[in-house]
Short mmCIF file of all heavy atoms in Angstrom, two decimals:
data_model
loop_
_atom_site.label_atom_id
_atom_site.label_comp_id
_atom_site.label_asym_id
_atom_site.label_seq_id
_atom_site.Cartn_x
_atom_site.Cartn_y
_atom_site.Cartn_z
N MET X 1 -3.93 6.55 -5.68
CA MET X 1 -3.82 7.12 -4.36
C MET X 1 -2.91 8.32 -4.43
O MET X 1 -2.01 8.38 -5.24
CB MET X 1 -3.35 6.06 -3.37
CG MET X 1 -1.90 6.05 -3.03
SD MET X 1 -1.48 4.92 -1.70
CE MET X 1 -0.20 5.87 -0.97
N LYS X 2 -3.12 9.26 -3.57
CA LYS X 2 -2.27 10.44 -3.50
C LYS X 2 -1.14 10.17 -2.50
O LYS X 2 -1.33 9.47 -1.51
CB LYS X 2 -3.07 11.64 -3.04
CG LYS X 2 -4.16 12.03 -4.03
CD LYS X 2 -4.39 13.50 -3.98
CE LYS X 2 -5.51 13.90 -4.92
NZ LYS X 2 -5.09 14.07 -6.27
N GLU X 3 0.03 10.72 -2.80
CA GLU X 3 1.18 10.50 -1.93
C GLU X 3 0.94 11.05 -0.52
O GLU X 3 1.48 10.54 0.46
CB GLU X 3 2.44 11.12 -2.53
CG GLU X 3 3.69 10.69 -1.82
CD GLU X 3 4.96 11.00 -2.59
OE1 GLU X 3 4.89 11.34 -3.79
OE2 GLU X 3 6.02 10.89 -1.97
N SER X 4 0.07 12.04 -0.39
CA SER X 4 -0.25 12.60 0.92
C SER X 4 -0.91 11.57 1.85
O SER X 4 -0.92 11.74 3.07
CB SER X 4 -1.14 13.83 0.78
OG SER X 4 -2.36 13.49 0.15
N MET X 5 -1.46 10.48 1.29
CA MET X 5 -2.06 9.41 2.10
C MET X 5 -1.02 8.74 2.99
O MET X 5 -1.37 8.13 4.00
CB MET X 5 -2.69 8.35 1.19
CG MET X 5 -3.91 8.81 0.44
SD MET X 5 -5.40 8.75 1.43
CE MET X 5 -5.52 7.04 1.79
N MET X 6 0.26 8.86 2.64
CA MET X 6 1.31 8.23 3.42
C MET X 6 1.33 8.75 4.86
O MET X 6 1.79 8.06 5.76
CB MET X 6 2.68 8.46 2.76
CG MET X 6 2.86 7.75 1.43
SD MET X 6 2.69 5.97 1.57
CE MET X 6 4.08 5.57 2.60
N ASP X 7 0.80 9.95 5.08
CA ASP X 7 0.76 10.52 6.43
C ASP X 7 -0.19 9.77 7.36
O ASP X 7 -0.03 9.81 8.58
CB ASP X 7 0.33 11.99 6.38
CG ASP X 7 1.36 12.87 5.71
OD1 ASP X 7 2.55 12.50 5.65
OD2 ASP X 7 0.97 13.95 5.23
N ILE X 8 -1.18 9.07 6.79
CA ILE X 8 -2.17 8.39 7.63
C ILE X 8 -2.11 6.88 7.53
O ILE X 8 -2.71 6.20 8.36
CB ILE X 8 -3.60 8.89 7.32
CG1 ILE X 8 -3.98 8.61 5.87
CG2 ILE X 8 -3.75 10.35 7.66
CD1 ILE X 8 -5.44 8.87 5.57
N LEU X 9 -1.40 6.33 6.55
CA LEU X 9 -1.32 4.88 6.40
C LEU X 9 -0.24 4.30 7.30
O LEU X 9 0.81 4.90 7.50
CB LEU X 9 -1.03 4.50 4.95
CG LEU X 9 -2.12 4.78 3.93
CD1 LEU X 9 -1.64 4.42 2.53
CD2 LEU X 9 -3.38 4.00 4.26
N CYS X 10 -0.52 3.10 7.82
CA CYS X 10 0.49 2.36 8.58
C CYS X 10 0.26 0.86 8.32
O CYS X 10 -0.77 0.46 7.79
CB CYS X 10 0.41 2.68 10.07
SG CYS X 10 -1.09 2.13 10.88
N CYS X 11 1.23 0.06 8.71
CA CYS X 11 1.13 -1.38 8.53
C CYS X 11 -0.01 -1.92 9.40
O CYS X 11 -0.06 -1.65 10.60
CB CYS X 11 2.45 -2.03 8.92
SG CYS X 11 2.43 -3.84 8.79
N PRO X 12 -0.94 -2.69 8.82
CA PRO X 12 -2.04 -3.24 9.61
C PRO X 12 -1.58 -4.34 10.58
O PRO X 12 -2.29 -4.65 11.53
CB PRO X 12 -3.00 -3.80 8.56
CG PRO X 12 -2.18 -4.03 7.36
CD PRO X 12 -1.08 -3.02 7.39
N MET X 13 -0.39 -4.87 10.37
CA MET X 13 0.11 -5.94 11.23
C MET X 13 0.72 -5.40 12.52
O MET X 13 0.46 -5.91 13.59
CB MET X 13 1.16 -6.77 10.47
CG MET X 13 0.64 -7.37 9.18
SD MET X 13 -0.71 -8.52 9.40
CE MET X 13 0.18 -9.90 10.05
N ASP X 14 1.56 -4.35 12.42
CA ASP X 14 2.26 -3.86 13.61
C ASP X 14 2.21 -2.34 13.78
O ASP X 14 2.87 -1.79 14.65
CB ASP X 14 3.70 -4.33 13.61
CG ASP X 14 4.46 -3.93 12.37
OD1 ASP X 14 4.03 -2.99 11.66
OD2 ASP X 14 5.51 -4.54 12.10
N LYS X 15 1.43 -1.68 12.93
CA LYS X 15 1.22 -0.22 13.01
C LYS X 15 2.48 0.61 12.75
O LYS X 15 2.53 1.78 13.08
CB LYS X 15 0.61 0.19 14.36
CG LYS X 15 -0.63 -0.57 14.75
CD LYS X 15 -1.74 -0.41 13.75
CE LYS X 15 -2.99 -1.12 14.24
NZ LYS X 15 -3.61 -1.96 13.27
N ALA X 16 3.50 0.02 12.15
CA ALA X 16 4.74 0.74 11.83
C ALA X 16 4.56 1.55 10.55
O ALA X 16 3.58 1.39 9.82
CB ALA X 16 5.89 -0.25 11.68
N ASP X 17 5.53 2.41 10.29
CA ASP X 17 5.51 3.24 9.08
C ASP X 17 5.70 2.38 7.83
O ASP X 17 6.25 1.28 7.88
CB ASP X 17 6.64 4.28 9.12
CG ASP X 17 6.37 5.36 10.17
OD1 ASP X 17 5.20 5.60 10.49
OD2 ASP X 17 7.36 5.95 10.64
N LEU X 18 5.25 2.93 6.71
CA LEU X 18 5.38 2.27 5.42
C LEU X 18 6.27 3.08 4.50
O LEU X 18 6.26 4.31 4.54
CB LEU X 18 4.00 2.11 4.77
CG LEU X 18 3.00 1.23 5.52
CD1 LEU X 18 1.61 1.42 4.95
CD2 LEU X 18 3.41 -0.22 5.46
N GLU X 19 7.04 2.39 3.66
CA GLU X 19 7.83 3.04 2.62
C GLU X 19 7.12 2.85 1.29
O GLU X 19 6.62 1.77 1.01
CB GLU X 19 9.23 2.43 2.54
CG GLU X 19 10.09 2.77 3.73
CD GLU X 19 11.49 2.19 3.61
OE1 GLU X 19 11.75 1.37 2.71
OE2 GLU X 19 12.32 2.57 4.45
N LEU X 20 7.10 3.88 0.49
CA LEU X 20 6.42 3.87 -0.79
C LEU X 20 7.41 3.65 -1.93
O LEU X 20 8.42 4.33 -2.01
CB LEU X 20 5.69 5.20 -1.01
CG LEU X 20 5.07 5.45 -2.38
CD1 LEU X 20 3.96 4.44 -2.67
CD2 LEU X 20 4.55 6.86 -2.46
N GLU X 21 7.10 2.68 -2.79
CA GLU X 21 7.83 2.48 -4.03
C GLU X 21 6.82 2.66 -5.17
O GLU X 21 5.88 1.87 -5.29
CB GLU X 21 8.45 1.08 -4.10
CG GLU X 21 9.24 0.85 -5.37
CD GLU X 21 9.83 -0.55 -5.42
OE1 GLU X 21 10.24 -1.07 -4.36
OE2 GLU X 21 9.86 -1.12 -6.52
N VAL X 22 7.00 3.72 -5.94
CA VAL X 22 6.06 4.04 -7.01
C VAL X 22 6.39 3.23 -8.25
O VAL X 22 7.54 3.21 -8.70
CB VAL X 22 6.09 5.55 -7.33
CG1 VAL X 22 5.18 5.87 -8.49
CG2 VAL X 22 5.71 6.37 -6.11
N GLY X 23 5.38 2.55 -8.78
CA GLY X 23 5.53 1.81 -10.03
C GLY X 23 5.13 2.68 -11.21
O GLY X 23 5.86 2.81 -12.18
N ARG X 24 3.95 3.31 -11.09
CA ARG X 24 3.45 4.17 -12.17
C ARG X 24 2.63 5.29 -11.56
O ARG X 24 1.85 5.08 -10.64
CB ARG X 24 2.60 3.35 -13.14
CG ARG X 24 2.14 4.14 -14.36
CD ARG X 24 1.55 3.25 -15.45
NE ARG X 24 0.31 2.61 -15.06
CZ ARG X 24 -0.90 3.12 -15.30
NH1 ARG X 24 -1.03 4.25 -15.94
NH2 ARG X 24 -1.98 2.46 -14.93
N GLU X 25 2.85 6.49 -12.09
CA GLU X 25 2.09 7.68 -11.66
C GLU X 25 1.33 8.25 -12.84
O GLU X 25 1.76 8.14 -13.98
CB GLU X 25 3.04 8.76 -11.14
CG GLU X 25 3.57 8.51 -9.76
CD GLU X 25 4.37 9.69 -9.26
OE1 GLU X 25 3.75 10.63 -8.73
OE2 GLU X 25 5.60 9.65 -9.40
N ASP X 26 0.20 8.86 -12.55
CA ASP X 26 -0.59 9.57 -13.55
C ASP X 26 -0.91 10.93 -12.96
O ASP X 26 -1.75 11.05 -12.07
CB ASP X 26 -1.87 8.80 -13.87
CG ASP X 26 -2.68 9.42 -14.99
OD1 ASP X 26 -2.17 10.35 -15.65
OD2 ASP X 26 -3.82 8.98 -15.20
N GLU X 27 -0.17 11.94 -13.40
CA GLU X 27 -0.23 13.29 -12.84
C GLU X 27 0.12 13.22 -11.36
O GLU X 27 1.21 12.84 -11.01
CB GLU X 27 -1.56 13.95 -13.14
CG GLU X 27 -1.75 14.15 -14.64
CD GLU X 27 -2.99 14.94 -14.97
OE1 GLU X 27 -3.48 15.69 -14.11
OE2 GLU X 27 -3.45 14.82 -16.10
N ASP X 28 -0.80 13.54 -10.44
CA ASP X 28 -0.46 13.50 -9.02
C ASP X 28 -1.02 12.27 -8.30
O ASP X 28 -1.07 12.22 -7.08
CB ASP X 28 -0.91 14.79 -8.32
CG ASP X 28 -2.43 14.97 -8.35
OD1 ASP X 28 -3.09 14.29 -9.16
OD2 ASP X 28 -2.94 15.79 -7.58
N GLU X 29 -1.43 11.25 -9.06
CA GLU X 29 -1.97 10.02 -8.48
C GLU X 29 -0.99 8.86 -8.69
O GLU X 29 -0.44 8.69 -9.78
CB GLU X 29 -3.29 9.64 -9.17
CG GLU X 29 -4.42 10.60 -8.92
CD GLU X 29 -5.11 10.37 -7.59
OE1 GLU X 29 -5.11 9.24 -7.08
OE2 GLU X 29 -5.64 11.35 -7.05
N ILE X 30 -0.78 8.08 -7.65
CA ILE X 30 0.02 6.86 -7.77
C ILE X 30 -0.93 5.76 -8.22
O ILE X 30 -1.88 5.43 -7.51
CB ILE X 30 0.69 6.52 -6.44
CG1 ILE X 30 1.64 7.66 -6.05
CG2 ILE X 30 1.44 5.19 -6.55
CD1 ILE X 30 2.11 7.61 -4.63
N VAL X 31 -0.68 5.21 -9.40
CA VAL X 31 -1.56 4.21 -9.99
C VAL X 31 -1.15 2.80 -9.55
O VAL X 31 -1.99 1.96 -9.27
CB VAL X 31 -1.57 4.32 -11.53
CG1 VAL X 31 -2.45 3.26 -12.15
CG2 VAL X 31 -2.04 5.72 -11.94
N SER X 32 0.16 2.55 -9.50
CA SER X 32 0.64 1.24 -9.06
C SER X 32 1.94 1.41 -8.30
O SER X 32 2.66 2.40 -8.47
CB SER X 32 0.84 0.32 -10.25
OG SER X 32 1.90 0.78 -11.07
N GLY X 33 2.21 0.44 -7.45
CA GLY X 33 3.43 0.47 -6.66
C GLY X 33 3.30 -0.47 -5.48
O GLY X 33 2.45 -1.36 -5.46
N THR X 34 4.15 -0.24 -4.49
CA THR X 34 4.19 -1.10 -3.32
C THR X 34 4.42 -0.28 -2.06
O THR X 34 5.21 0.66 -2.07
CB THR X 34 5.34 -2.13 -3.46
OG1 THR X 34 5.19 -2.84 -4.68
CG2 THR X 34 5.33 -3.13 -2.31
N LEU X 35 3.73 -0.64 -1.01
CA LEU X 35 3.96 -0.08 0.32
C LEU X 35 4.63 -1.19 1.14
O LEU X 35 4.11 -2.31 1.20
CB LEU X 35 2.65 0.33 0.97
CG LEU X 35 1.87 1.42 0.25
CD1 LEU X 35 0.46 1.53 0.83
CD2 LEU X 35 2.60 2.74 0.37
N THR X 36 5.77 -0.89 1.75
CA THR X 36 6.51 -1.89 2.52
C THR X 36 6.71 -1.42 3.95
O THR X 36 7.13 -0.29 4.19
CB THR X 36 7.88 -2.16 1.87
OG1 THR X 36 7.68 -2.55 0.51
CG2 THR X 36 8.62 -3.28 2.58
N CYS X 37 6.40 -2.30 4.89
CA CYS X 37 6.53 -1.98 6.31
C CYS X 37 8.01 -1.85 6.68
O CYS X 37 8.83 -2.70 6.32
CB CYS X 37 5.88 -3.07 7.16
SG CYS X 37 6.01 -2.77 8.93
N THR X 38 8.33 -0.80 7.44
CA THR X 38 9.71 -0.56 7.86
C THR X 38 10.14 -1.49 8.99
O THR X 38 11.33 -1.64 9.25
CB THR X 38 9.91 0.90 8.31
OG1 THR X 38 9.00 1.18 9.38
CG2 THR X 38 9.67 1.86 7.17
N GLU X 39 9.17 -2.14 9.66
CA GLU X 39 9.49 -3.05 10.77
C GLU X 39 9.46 -4.52 10.36
O GLU X 39 10.45 -5.20 10.45
CB GLU X 39 8.53 -2.82 11.94
CG GLU X 39 8.72 -1.50 12.65
CD GLU X 39 10.08 -1.40 13.34
OE1 GLU X 39 10.51 -2.36 14.00
OE2 GLU X 39 10.70 -0.33 13.19
N CYS X 40 8.30 -5.00 9.90
CA CYS X 40 8.16 -6.43 9.61
C CYS X 40 8.52 -6.78 8.17
O CYS X 40 8.68 -7.95 7.85
CB CYS X 40 6.76 -6.92 9.95
SG CYS X 40 5.43 -6.32 8.86
N GLY X 41 8.60 -5.78 7.28
CA GLY X 41 8.98 -6.03 5.90
C GLY X 41 7.85 -6.50 5.00
O GLY X 41 8.08 -6.77 3.82
N GLU X 42 6.65 -6.60 5.53
CA GLU X 42 5.51 -7.04 4.72
C GLU X 42 5.22 -5.99 3.65
O GLU X 42 5.33 -4.80 3.89
CB GLU X 42 4.28 -7.25 5.60
CG GLU X 42 3.12 -7.89 4.90
CD GLU X 42 3.45 -9.25 4.31
OE1 GLU X 42 3.96 -10.11 5.04
OE2 GLU X 42 3.19 -9.43 3.10
N SER X 43 4.84 -6.45 2.45
CA SER X 43 4.54 -5.55 1.34
C SER X 43 3.05 -5.57 1.02
O SER X 43 2.40 -6.62 1.10
CB SER X 43 5.32 -5.97 0.09
OG SER X 43 6.69 -5.79 0.31
N TYR X 44 2.56 -4.40 0.63
CA TYR X 44 1.15 -4.23 0.27
C TYR X 44 1.10 -3.57 -1.10
O TYR X 44 1.66 -2.50 -1.30
CB TYR X 44 0.44 -3.35 1.32
CG TYR X 44 0.57 -3.94 2.70
CD1 TYR X 44 1.61 -3.54 3.55
CD2 TYR X 44 -0.31 -4.90 3.14
CE1 TYR X 44 1.75 -4.10 4.80
CE2 TYR X 44 -0.18 -5.47 4.41
CZ TYR X 44 0.85 -5.07 5.23
OH TYR X 44 1.00 -5.63 6.46
N PRO X 45 0.43 -4.20 -2.06
CA PRO X 45 0.40 -3.66 -3.42
C PRO X 45 -0.56 -2.48 -3.57
O PRO X 45 -1.56 -2.39 -2.86
CB PRO X 45 -0.09 -4.85 -4.26
CG PRO X 45 -0.94 -5.64 -3.31
CD PRO X 45 -0.29 -5.48 -1.95
N ILE X 46 -0.20 -1.60 -4.49
CA ILE X 46 -1.11 -0.53 -4.92
C ILE X 46 -1.50 -0.89 -6.34
O ILE X 46 -0.64 -1.01 -7.22
CB ILE X 46 -0.42 0.85 -4.91
CG1 ILE X 46 0.09 1.17 -3.51
CG2 ILE X 46 -1.40 1.93 -5.40
CD1 ILE X 46 1.00 2.39 -3.45
N GLU X 47 -2.78 -1.12 -6.56
CA GLU X 47 -3.28 -1.52 -7.88
C GLU X 47 -4.42 -0.61 -8.29
O GLU X 47 -5.36 -0.42 -7.51
CB GLU X 47 -3.75 -2.98 -7.84
CG GLU X 47 -2.63 -3.94 -7.48
CD GLU X 47 -3.14 -5.34 -7.18
OE1 GLU X 47 -4.36 -5.51 -6.92
OE2 GLU X 47 -2.32 -6.26 -7.18
N GLU X 48 -4.31 -0.04 -9.46
CA GLU X 48 -5.32 0.87 -10.00
C GLU X 48 -5.61 2.01 -9.02
O GLU X 48 -6.76 2.44 -8.84
CB GLU X 48 -6.59 0.11 -10.37
CG GLU X 48 -6.36 -0.90 -11.48
CD GLU X 48 -7.63 -1.63 -11.88
OE1 GLU X 48 -8.72 -1.04 -11.75
OE2 GLU X 48 -7.52 -2.77 -12.34
N GLY X 49 -4.56 2.48 -8.34
CA GLY X 49 -4.68 3.62 -7.44
C GLY X 49 -5.19 3.29 -6.05
O GLY X 49 -5.38 4.18 -5.23
N VAL X 50 -5.41 2.00 -5.76
CA VAL X 50 -5.97 1.60 -4.47
C VAL X 50 -4.97 0.71 -3.72
O VAL X 50 -4.59 -0.34 -4.22
CB VAL X 50 -7.29 0.82 -4.65
CG1 VAL X 50 -7.86 0.39 -3.32
CG2 VAL X 50 -8.29 1.65 -5.43
N PRO X 51 -4.54 1.14 -2.52
CA PRO X 51 -3.64 0.28 -1.74
C PRO X 51 -4.42 -0.87 -1.12
O PRO X 51 -5.49 -0.67 -0.54
CB PRO X 51 -3.08 1.21 -0.66
CG PRO X 51 -4.06 2.32 -0.55
CD PRO X 51 -4.74 2.43 -1.89
N ASN X 52 -3.91 -2.09 -1.27
CA ASN X 52 -4.53 -3.28 -0.68
C ASN X 52 -3.89 -3.50 0.67
O ASN X 52 -2.82 -4.09 0.77
CB ASN X 52 -4.35 -4.49 -1.59
CG ASN X 52 -5.04 -5.72 -1.05
OD1 ASN X 52 -5.41 -5.78 0.11
ND2 ASN X 52 -5.22 -6.71 -1.91
N MET X 53 -4.54 -3.03 1.72
CA MET X 53 -3.99 -3.08 3.07
C MET X 53 -4.46 -4.29 3.87
O MET X 53 -4.29 -4.34 5.08
CB MET X 53 -4.32 -1.78 3.82
CG MET X 53 -3.78 -0.52 3.16
SD MET X 53 -2.00 -0.53 2.93
CE MET X 53 -1.45 -0.47 4.62
N LEU X 54 -5.04 -5.27 3.21
CA LEU X 54 -5.44 -6.49 3.91
C LEU X 54 -4.20 -7.24 4.38
O LEU X 54 -3.18 -7.26 3.68
CB LEU X 54 -6.25 -7.40 2.99
CG LEU X 54 -7.67 -6.98 2.67
CD1 LEU X 54 -8.27 -7.90 1.62
CD2 LEU X 54 -8.52 -6.99 3.93
N PRO X 55 -4.26 -7.88 5.53
CA PRO X 55 -3.14 -8.71 5.96
C PRO X 55 -2.89 -9.81 4.92
O PRO X 55 -3.82 -10.24 4.23
CB PRO X 55 -3.63 -9.32 7.28
CG PRO X 55 -4.64 -8.34 7.78
CD PRO X 55 -5.31 -7.80 6.55
N PRO X 56 -1.65 -10.24 4.78
CA PRO X 56 -1.27 -11.19 3.72
C PRO X 56 -2.12 -12.46 3.67
O PRO X 56 -2.47 -12.92 2.58
CB PRO X 56 0.17 -11.54 4.04
CG PRO X 56 0.64 -10.53 5.00
CD PRO X 56 -0.54 -9.89 5.64
N ASP X 57 -2.49 -13.01 4.83
CA ASP X 57 -3.28 -14.25 4.82
C ASP X 57 -4.71 -14.03 4.34
O ASP X 57 -5.39 -14.99 4.00
CB ASP X 57 -3.25 -14.91 6.20
CG ASP X 57 -3.81 -14.02 7.29
OD1 ASP X 57 -3.80 -12.77 7.12
OD2 ASP X 57 -4.24 -14.55 8.33
N MET X 58 -5.18 -12.82 4.28
CA MET X 58 -6.53 -12.53 3.81
C MET X 58 -6.57 -12.11 2.35
O MET X 58 -7.61 -12.16 1.72
CB MET X 58 -7.15 -11.43 4.66
CG MET X 58 -7.36 -11.83 6.11
SD MET X 58 -8.11 -10.52 7.07
CE MET X 58 -9.77 -10.51 6.41
N ARG X 59 -5.45 -11.70 1.77
CA ARG X 59 -5.42 -11.20 0.39
C ARG X 59 -5.78 -12.26 -0.64
O ARG X 59 -6.48 -11.98 -1.58
CB ARG X 59 -4.03 -10.66 0.05
CG ARG X 59 -3.90 -9.24 0.38
CD ARG X 59 -2.60 -8.71 -0.14
NE ARG X 59 -1.89 -8.24 1.05
CZ ARG X 59 -0.60 -8.23 1.21
NH1 ARG X 59 0.18 -8.66 0.26
NH2 ARG X 59 -0.08 -7.80 2.31
N ASP X 60 -5.31 -13.48 -0.45
CA ASP X 60 -5.54 -14.53 -1.43
C ASP X 60 -6.99 -14.96 -1.52
O ASP X 60 -7.45 -15.44 -2.54
CB ASP X 60 -4.67 -15.76 -1.12
CG ASP X 60 -3.19 -15.45 -1.26
OD1 ASP X 60 -2.84 -14.51 -2.00
OD2 ASP X 60 -2.39 -16.14 -0.60
N ASP X 61 -7.76 -14.76 -0.44
CA ASP X 61 -9.15 -15.20 -0.39
C ASP X 61 -10.13 -14.19 -0.99
O ASP X 61 -11.27 -14.50 -1.22
CB ASP X 61 -9.58 -15.46 1.06
CG ASP X 61 -8.76 -16.59 1.68
OD1 ASP X 61 -8.22 -17.42 0.92
OD2 ASP X 61 -8.65 -16.62 2.92
N VAL X 62 -9.68 -12.97 -1.25
CA VAL X 62 -10.57 -11.91 -1.73
C VAL X 62 -10.44 -11.78 -3.24
O VAL X 62 -9.36 -11.59 -3.77
CB VAL X 62 -10.22 -10.56 -1.06
CG1 VAL X 62 -11.11 -9.45 -1.60
CG2 VAL X 62 -10.38 -10.68 0.45
N PRO X 63 -11.57 -11.92 -3.98
CA PRO X 63 -11.49 -11.76 -5.44
C PRO X 63 -11.15 -10.33 -5.80
O PRO X 63 -11.57 -9.38 -5.15
CB PRO X 63 -12.89 -12.12 -5.91
CG PRO X 63 -13.78 -12.00 -4.72
CD PRO X 63 -12.91 -12.18 -3.50
N ALA X 64 -10.38 -10.20 -6.88
CA ALA X 64 -9.96 -8.87 -7.33
C ALA X 64 -11.08 -8.12 -8.01
O ALA X 64 -12.02 -8.60 -8.48
CB ALA X 64 -8.78 -8.99 -8.28
#
């Protein structure tokens, strides 16, 4: 994902802003990391460049 996506992403639970913690970058793409809600504290993983924005109770049921 590109860091510029942060301008349009928000927490799916409460629509609050997200903080980005970069795990690994490849040139201008974020390959892995975490997005954390500034209000509720819920975390959303970034895996292989794709942020998983599903609510926490739905993440476990979806195959990777």
Side-chain angles (χ1 to χ4, degrees):
M1 98 172 215
K2 296 211 182 277
E3 192 165 348
S4 61
M5 292 279 298
M6 293 300 295
D7 293 337
I8 61 171
L9 292 177
C10 66
C11 178
M13 303 297 286
D14 57 19
K15 308 300 184 228
D17 290 334
L18 297 167
E19 290 182 349
L20 172 64
E21 181 181 324
V22 177
R24 186 168 66 92
E25 283 186 84
D26 185 9
E27 296 186 23
D28 63 344
E29 294 279 332
I30 298 166
V31 178
S32 66
T34 305
L35 297 168
T36 304
C37 179
T38 58
E39 290 295 316
C40 70
E42 188 59 52
S43 294
Y44 303 93
I46 301 169
E47 299 169 342
E48 297 182 28
V50 179
N52 183 343
M53 300 303 293
L54 286 173
D57 59 336
M58 295 181 71
R59 270 188 241 149
D60 295 336
D61 297 337
V62 178

